[in-house]
């Protein structure tokens, strides 16, 4: 833990959990979309498609999070001469 009070390991576990939740929501959304399309429910189908696109964007945004955490973890607390 750094002097800023943030444990990098705990942070990584939390971000991984968030990524898992997004992945689970995406899987459920795809199943719901298939059901909606199968019954001709176009209005909800378009909303589900938009939600799935947003979930995909969220997962892409988190790509490489372990490296980002490591990079930030190594940078915190460094001394810079002015």
């Amino acid at each position: 833990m750094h002097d800023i009070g943030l444990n990098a390991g705990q942070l990584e576990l939390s971000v991984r959990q968030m990524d898992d939740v997004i992945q689970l929501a995406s899987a459920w959304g795809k199943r719901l979309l298939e059901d909606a399309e199968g019954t001709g429910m176009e209005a909800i189908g378009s909303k589900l498609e938009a939600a799935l696109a947003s979930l995909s964007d969220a997962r892409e945004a988190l790509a490489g999070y372990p490296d980002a955490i490591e990079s930030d973890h190594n940078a915190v607390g460094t001394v810079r001469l002015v």
Side-chain angles (χ1 to χ4, degrees):
M1 184 179 309
H2 281 288
D3 57 349
I4 60 169
L6 184 63
N7 182 303
Q10 289 175 336
L11 177 62
E12 184 171 351
L13 288 174
S14 294
V15 175
R16 181 180 309 149
Q17 183 179 22
M18 188 171 106
D19 189 43
D20 290 345
V21 167
I22 294 167
Q23 186 177 4
L24 180 61
S26 182
W28 274 104
K30 288 175 185 175
R31 290 183 69 184
L32 290 171
L33 179 59
E34 290 172 3
D35 290 344
E37 288 176 339
T39 57
M41 301 178 81
E42 295 177 10
I44 191 64
S46 65
K47 296 206 173 280
L48 288 168
E49 286 174 345
L52 287 168
S54 294
L55 290 170
S56 178
D57 291 344
R59 287 210 70 213
E60 287 179 27
L62 288 176
Y65 71 85
D67 293 334
I69 291 171
E70 183 67 24
S71 174
D72 287 342
H73 179 73
N74 291 335
V76 172
T78 58
V79 176
R80 294 186 182 140
L81 298 175
V82 185

